[in-house]
Short mmCIF file of all heavy atoms in Angstrom, two decimals:
data_model
loop_
_atom_site.label_atom_id
_atom_site.label_comp_id
_atom_site.label_asym_id
_atom_site.label_seq_id
_atom_site.Cartn_x
_atom_site.Cartn_y
_atom_site.Cartn_z
N ALA A 1 -9.93 3.03 7.07
CA ALA A 1 -11.20 2.32 7.23
C ALA A 1 -11.86 2.71 8.56
O ALA A 1 -11.21 2.68 9.61
CB ALA A 1 -10.96 0.81 7.18
N PHE A 2 -13.14 3.03 8.49
CA PHE A 2 -13.85 3.49 9.68
C PHE A 2 -14.90 2.48 10.14
O PHE A 2 -15.30 1.58 9.39
CB PHE A 2 -14.51 4.84 9.40
CG PHE A 2 -13.52 5.96 9.28
CD1 PHE A 2 -12.98 6.30 8.05
CD2 PHE A 2 -13.11 6.67 10.41
CE1 PHE A 2 -12.05 7.33 7.93
CE2 PHE A 2 -12.19 7.70 10.30
CZ PHE A 2 -11.65 8.04 9.06
N GLU A 3 -15.32 2.66 11.36
CA GLU A 3 -16.34 1.83 11.97
C GLU A 3 -17.67 1.94 11.20
O GLU A 3 -17.91 2.94 10.52
CB GLU A 3 -16.56 2.24 13.42
CG GLU A 3 -15.49 1.72 14.38
CD GLU A 3 -15.69 0.25 14.69
OE1 GLU A 3 -15.23 -0.57 13.87
OE2 GLU A 3 -16.29 -0.09 15.72
N PRO A 4 -18.53 0.94 11.33
CA PRO A 4 -19.82 0.98 10.61
C PRO A 4 -20.64 2.21 10.98
O PRO A 4 -20.68 2.62 12.15
CB PRO A 4 -20.51 -0.30 11.09
CG PRO A 4 -19.40 -1.21 11.50
CD PRO A 4 -18.34 -0.32 12.06
N TYR A 5 -21.23 2.81 9.97
CA TYR A 5 -22.16 3.93 10.12
C TYR A 5 -21.51 5.13 10.81
O TYR A 5 -22.18 5.87 11.56
CB TYR A 5 -23.42 3.49 10.87
CG TYR A 5 -24.00 2.19 10.35
CD1 TYR A 5 -23.88 1.01 11.07
CD2 TYR A 5 -24.63 2.15 9.10
CE1 TYR A 5 -24.39 -0.19 10.59
CE2 TYR A 5 -25.14 0.95 8.60
CZ TYR A 5 -25.01 -0.21 9.35
OH TYR A 5 -25.52 -1.39 8.86
N SER A 6 -20.24 5.34 10.56
CA SER A 6 -19.53 6.45 11.19
C SER A 6 -20.00 7.81 10.70
O SER A 6 -19.97 8.79 11.45
CB SER A 6 -18.02 6.32 10.94
OG SER A 6 -17.50 5.18 11.56
N TYR A 7 -20.42 7.87 9.45
CA TYR A 7 -20.76 9.17 8.86
C TYR A 7 -22.24 9.30 8.51
O TYR A 7 -22.82 10.36 8.69
CB TYR A 7 -19.89 9.42 7.62
CG TYR A 7 -18.44 9.61 7.97
CD1 TYR A 7 -17.53 8.57 7.85
CD2 TYR A 7 -17.97 10.83 8.44
CE1 TYR A 7 -16.20 8.74 8.19
CE2 TYR A 7 -16.65 11.01 8.79
CZ TYR A 7 -15.76 9.96 8.66
OH TYR A 7 -14.44 10.13 9.01
N LEU A 8 -22.81 8.23 8.00
CA LEU A 8 -24.23 8.27 7.63
C LEU A 8 -24.93 7.05 8.23
O LEU A 8 -24.37 5.96 8.25
CB LEU A 8 -24.38 8.26 6.10
CG LEU A 8 -23.84 9.48 5.35
CD1 LEU A 8 -23.91 9.24 3.86
CD2 LEU A 8 -24.62 10.74 5.73
N PRO A 9 -26.15 7.22 8.72
CA PRO A 9 -26.85 6.11 9.38
C PRO A 9 -27.16 4.94 8.45
O PRO A 9 -27.39 3.83 8.91
CB PRO A 9 -28.13 6.76 9.89
CG PRO A 9 -28.32 7.98 9.06
CD PRO A 9 -26.94 8.47 8.75
N ASP A 10 -27.15 5.18 7.14
CA ASP A 10 -27.46 4.10 6.19
C ASP A 10 -26.23 3.64 5.41
O ASP A 10 -26.34 2.89 4.45
CB ASP A 10 -28.55 4.56 5.22
CG ASP A 10 -28.12 5.77 4.40
OD1 ASP A 10 -27.16 6.46 4.82
OD2 ASP A 10 -28.76 6.03 3.36
N LYS A 11 -25.05 4.09 5.84
CA LYS A 11 -23.81 3.75 5.12
C LYS A 11 -22.88 2.98 6.05
O LYS A 11 -22.21 3.57 6.90
CB LYS A 11 -23.13 5.02 4.60
CG LYS A 11 -21.99 4.75 3.62
CD LYS A 11 -21.46 6.06 3.07
CE LYS A 11 -20.32 5.84 2.08
NZ LYS A 11 -20.74 5.08 0.90
N LYS A 12 -22.85 1.67 5.87
CA LYS A 12 -22.06 0.82 6.76
C LYS A 12 -20.57 0.98 6.54
O LYS A 12 -19.77 0.93 7.48
CB LYS A 12 -22.46 -0.65 6.56
CG LYS A 12 -21.71 -1.62 7.46
CD LYS A 12 -22.19 -3.06 7.23
CE LYS A 12 -21.43 -4.04 8.12
NZ LYS A 12 -21.87 -5.43 7.89
N TYR A 13 -20.16 1.15 5.29
CA TYR A 13 -18.74 1.18 4.96
C TYR A 13 -18.28 2.58 4.57
O TYR A 13 -18.95 3.26 3.78
CB TYR A 13 -18.45 0.22 3.81
CG TYR A 13 -18.90 -1.20 4.07
CD1 TYR A 13 -20.09 -1.67 3.50
CD2 TYR A 13 -18.16 -2.05 4.87
CE1 TYR A 13 -20.51 -2.97 3.74
CE2 TYR A 13 -18.57 -3.35 5.11
CZ TYR A 13 -19.75 -3.80 4.54
OH TYR A 13 -20.17 -5.08 4.78
N PHE A 14 -17.15 2.98 5.12
CA PHE A 14 -16.49 4.19 4.66
C PHE A 14 -14.99 3.96 4.77
O PHE A 14 -14.41 3.96 5.85
CB PHE A 14 -16.89 5.42 5.47
CG PHE A 14 -16.29 6.69 4.94
CD1 PHE A 14 -16.72 7.21 3.73
CD2 PHE A 14 -15.29 7.36 5.64
CE1 PHE A 14 -16.17 8.38 3.21
CE2 PHE A 14 -14.73 8.52 5.14
CZ PHE A 14 -15.18 9.04 3.92
N CYS A 15 -14.36 3.71 3.63
CA CYS A 15 -12.94 3.36 3.61
C CYS A 15 -12.27 3.99 2.38
O CYS A 15 -12.08 3.33 1.36
CB CYS A 15 -12.77 1.85 3.60
SG CYS A 15 -11.04 1.29 3.64
N PRO A 16 -11.92 5.27 2.46
CA PRO A 16 -11.19 5.92 1.36
C PRO A 16 -9.83 5.25 1.15
O PRO A 16 -9.16 4.87 2.12
CB PRO A 16 -11.03 7.36 1.84
CG PRO A 16 -12.02 7.52 2.95
CD PRO A 16 -12.16 6.18 3.58
N ALA A 17 -9.44 5.12 -0.11
CA ALA A 17 -8.19 4.43 -0.43
C ALA A 17 -7.48 5.09 -1.60
O ALA A 17 -8.12 5.69 -2.47
CB ALA A 17 -8.46 2.96 -0.74
N ALA A 18 -6.16 4.97 -1.60
CA ALA A 18 -5.34 5.45 -2.71
C ALA A 18 -4.22 4.46 -2.93
O ALA A 18 -3.70 3.87 -1.97
CB ALA A 18 -4.78 6.83 -2.42
N GLY A 19 -3.87 4.24 -4.19
CA GLY A 19 -2.79 3.30 -4.47
C GLY A 19 -2.46 3.23 -5.94
O GLY A 19 -3.20 3.73 -6.79
N TYR A 20 -1.33 2.58 -6.22
CA TYR A 20 -0.88 2.41 -7.60
C TYR A 20 -1.43 1.11 -8.17
O TYR A 20 -1.38 0.06 -7.51
CB TYR A 20 0.65 2.39 -7.67
CG TYR A 20 1.28 3.70 -7.27
CD1 TYR A 20 1.85 3.86 -6.01
CD2 TYR A 20 1.31 4.78 -8.15
CE1 TYR A 20 2.43 5.07 -5.64
CE2 TYR A 20 1.87 5.98 -7.79
CZ TYR A 20 2.44 6.12 -6.53
OH TYR A 20 3.00 7.32 -6.16
N ASP A 21 -1.97 1.19 -9.39
CA ASP A 21 -2.39 -0.04 -10.04
C ASP A 21 -1.17 -0.71 -10.67
O ASP A 21 -0.04 -0.23 -10.54
CB ASP A 21 -3.50 0.22 -11.06
CG ASP A 21 -3.07 1.15 -12.19
OD1 ASP A 21 -1.85 1.31 -12.41
OD2 ASP A 21 -3.94 1.73 -12.87
N THR A 22 -1.38 -1.83 -11.34
CA THR A 22 -0.25 -2.59 -11.89
C THR A 22 0.48 -1.86 -13.01
O THR A 22 1.61 -2.21 -13.34
CB THR A 22 -0.73 -3.96 -12.41
OG1 THR A 22 -1.83 -3.76 -13.32
CG2 THR A 22 -1.20 -4.83 -11.26
N SER A 23 -0.14 -0.83 -13.58
CA SER A 23 0.53 -0.04 -14.61
C SER A 23 1.29 1.14 -14.02
O SER A 23 1.94 1.90 -14.75
CB SER A 23 -0.50 0.47 -15.63
OG SER A 23 -1.37 1.42 -15.03
N GLY A 24 1.20 1.32 -12.71
CA GLY A 24 1.92 2.40 -12.05
C GLY A 24 1.13 3.68 -11.93
O GLY A 24 1.67 4.70 -11.47
N GLU A 25 -0.15 3.65 -12.28
CA GLU A 25 -0.98 4.85 -12.19
C GLU A 25 -1.62 4.94 -10.81
O GLU A 25 -2.14 3.96 -10.27
CB GLU A 25 -2.08 4.82 -13.26
CG GLU A 25 -2.93 6.08 -13.28
CD GLU A 25 -3.96 6.06 -14.40
OE1 GLU A 25 -3.86 5.17 -15.27
OE2 GLU A 25 -4.85 6.93 -14.41
N LEU A 26 -1.57 6.13 -10.22
CA LEU A 26 -2.17 6.34 -8.91
C LEU A 26 -3.68 6.50 -9.05
O LEU A 26 -4.17 7.33 -9.81
CB LEU A 26 -1.58 7.59 -8.25
CG LEU A 26 -2.11 7.93 -6.85
CD1 LEU A 26 -1.79 6.81 -5.87
CD2 LEU A 26 -1.53 9.25 -6.36
N ARG A 27 -4.41 5.69 -8.29
CA ARG A 27 -5.87 5.73 -8.34
C ARG A 27 -6.42 5.90 -6.93
O ARG A 27 -5.78 5.54 -5.94
CB ARG A 27 -6.42 4.44 -8.96
CG ARG A 27 -6.00 4.23 -10.41
CD ARG A 27 -6.66 2.99 -11.00
NE ARG A 27 -6.29 2.78 -12.38
CZ ARG A 27 -6.91 3.36 -13.41
NH1 ARG A 27 -7.94 4.18 -13.19
NH2 ARG A 27 -6.52 3.11 -14.65
N THR A 28 -7.61 6.46 -6.85
CA THR A 28 -8.30 6.61 -5.58
C THR A 28 -9.69 5.99 -5.68
O THR A 28 -10.22 5.79 -6.77
CB THR A 28 -8.43 8.09 -5.19
OG1 THR A 28 -9.18 8.79 -6.21
CG2 THR A 28 -7.07 8.74 -5.03
N GLY A 29 -10.26 5.68 -4.53
CA GLY A 29 -11.59 5.09 -4.52
C GLY A 29 -12.00 4.73 -3.10
O GLY A 29 -11.42 5.22 -2.12
N PHE A 30 -12.98 3.85 -2.99
CA PHE A 30 -13.49 3.45 -1.68
C PHE A 30 -13.63 1.93 -1.63
O PHE A 30 -14.06 1.30 -2.59
CB PHE A 30 -14.84 4.10 -1.42
CG PHE A 30 -14.78 5.60 -1.33
CD1 PHE A 30 -14.88 6.39 -2.48
CD2 PHE A 30 -14.60 6.23 -0.11
CE1 PHE A 30 -14.79 7.77 -2.41
CE2 PHE A 30 -14.53 7.61 -0.03
CZ PHE A 30 -14.62 8.39 -1.17
N LEU A 31 -13.23 1.36 -0.50
CA LEU A 31 -13.34 -0.08 -0.28
C LEU A 31 -14.51 -0.37 0.65
O LEU A 31 -14.95 0.49 1.41
CB LEU A 31 -12.06 -0.62 0.34
CG LEU A 31 -10.75 -0.38 -0.42
CD1 LEU A 31 -9.57 -0.93 0.37
CD2 LEU A 31 -10.81 -1.01 -1.81
N GLY A 32 -14.99 -1.61 0.57
CA GLY A 32 -16.07 -2.02 1.46
C GLY A 32 -17.35 -2.35 0.71
O GLY A 32 -17.71 -1.65 -0.24
N GLY A 33 -18.01 -3.41 1.12
CA GLY A 33 -19.26 -3.84 0.52
C GLY A 33 -19.58 -5.25 0.93
O GLY A 33 -18.84 -5.87 1.72
N ASP A 34 -20.66 -5.77 0.41
CA ASP A 34 -21.06 -7.14 0.76
C ASP A 34 -20.00 -8.16 0.38
O ASP A 34 -19.87 -9.21 1.03
CB ASP A 34 -22.38 -7.49 0.07
CG ASP A 34 -23.54 -6.67 0.61
OD1 ASP A 34 -23.42 -6.16 1.74
OD2 ASP A 34 -24.56 -6.53 -0.10
#
């Protein structure tokens, strides 16, 4: 998870994530929002 507007002036959140869901499948995505 990065500080606000670290990469783009209009993008407050940048938090790449990876993890296993409850079925054991590895998924990736981004966290952060209102």
Side-chain angles (χ1 to χ4, degrees):
F2 289 91
E3 282 283 83
Y5 313 107
S6 295
Y7 293 99
L8 295 173
D10 60 341
K11 191 175 180 63
K12 181 179 180 181
Y13 304 101
F14 184 70
C15 182
Y20 295 102
D21 61 20
T22 53
S23 67
E25 184 177 349
L26 180 62
R27 297 184 179 275
T28 60
F30 296 87
L31 303 178
D34 293 338

